[in-house]
Amino acid sequence: MARIPLSPPRTLTLRLAEWYSRRAYGKVMQPALVLGHHPKILRAYFSFESRVARWKALDPALKHLAELASAAAIGCSWCVDFGYWQADRLGLPLAKISKVPDWRAHRESFTEPERLVMEYAEAMTATPPTVTDELAADLRGRLGDRAFVELTTMVAVENLRSRLNSATGLRSQGFSDHCAVPPVTAAPPGTPADA
């Protein structure tokens, strides 16, 4: 349950965000309702996200795997749910995407660059970050500096999203209900998979 009411004051900013959200995603996104309590932050966040969407140096599939791996590492069910829906819209194989939260148990389903990107996303997301020089150098060699910087920034952006949504108590909003494959959730760290 959300830790802040999802019924902010009906400002012009909120009404515009609701209109855009319905048009682009088919429903009003709960993070917009949370940020609607502070219209200046909602406007700044929307502007930021619209600019982030224009970054194109990194392969979209790798970018998506990094975002989803980061969201799963944080445990943001809202972001994982939305991530499945986004993957479906991008035409990514949902059977593969459903394995991202527990990708190490399904290594054979991913290419070496995909595994490195998800490892990097998790290492960046850890507190404190556990990125090694070797991992960063390997990714820079494979992706190039520009795409590596975009990957690093996208993981940081996903950390912002996931931590904001988790801290405010947002849970799955049902986006993945419209996908061909329902999401698989990984067991929390330290929990036996068959528990």
Side-chain angles (χ1 to χ4, degrees):
M1 176 182 241
R3 295 184 178 109
I4 187 167
L6 298 179
S7 54
R10 305 273 311 140
T11 63
L12 177 59
T13 298
L14 179 65
R15 292 193 311 268
L16 288 171
E18 288 174 332
W19 172 83
Y20 176 80
S21 185
R22 280 190 196 96
R23 185 171 172 257
Y25 307 109
K27 59 177 90 176
V28 176
M29 296 174 71
Q30 292 173 348
L33 296 174
V34 167
L35 297 177
H37 288 280
H38 196 308
K40 285 184 181 180
I41 292 177
L42 178 58
R43 284 190 301 274
Y45 188 80
F46 177 79
S47 176
F48 173 69
E49 285 285 1
S50 67
R51 289 185 173 129
V52 166
R54 293 193 290 258
W55 299 343
K56 304 293 182 200
L58 182 62
D59 174 85
L62 291 177
K63 185 183 301 190
H64 193 71
L65 289 173
E67 291 173 295
L68 199 52
S70 179
I74 289 171
C76 180
S77 66
W78 193 96
C79 295
V80 170
D81 173 53
F82 185 68
Y84 282 100
W85 181 82
Q86 280 185 308
D88 192 38
R89 289 186 75 189
L90 289 170
L92 301 177
L94 293 179
K96 181 178 187 173
I97 295 299
S98 70
K99 296 173 183 171
V100 171
D102 194 25
W103 68 269
R104 283 183 172 78
H106 305 281
R107 294 179 70 80
E108 72 287 347
S109 298
F110 300 95
T111 66
E112 182 66 17
E114 291 170 339
R115 290 191 299 266
L116 288 170
V117 161
M118 291 185 291
E119 181 181 350
Y120 185 73
E122 288 179 350
M124 265 191 72
T125 300
T127 303
T130 58
V131 175
T132 64
D133 292 342
E134 295 77 21
L135 179 57
D138 194 354
L139 280 166
R140 282 185 57 223
R142 290 172 187 267
L143 302 175
D145 288 345
R146 185 174 175 166
F148 176 75
V149 168
E150 187 170 316
L151 169 64
T152 302
T153 306
M154 285 311 306
V155 173
V157 168
E158 186 54 44
N159 269 257
L160 167 69
R161 296 169 181 149
S162 292
R163 292 179 189 281
L164 176 73
N165 294 341
S166 293
T168 57
L170 299 184
R171 301 287 179 256
S172 171
Q173 195 174 338
F175 281 98
S176 61
D177 296 346
H178 304 286
C179 299
V181 176
V184 175
T185 56
T191 304
D194 57 355

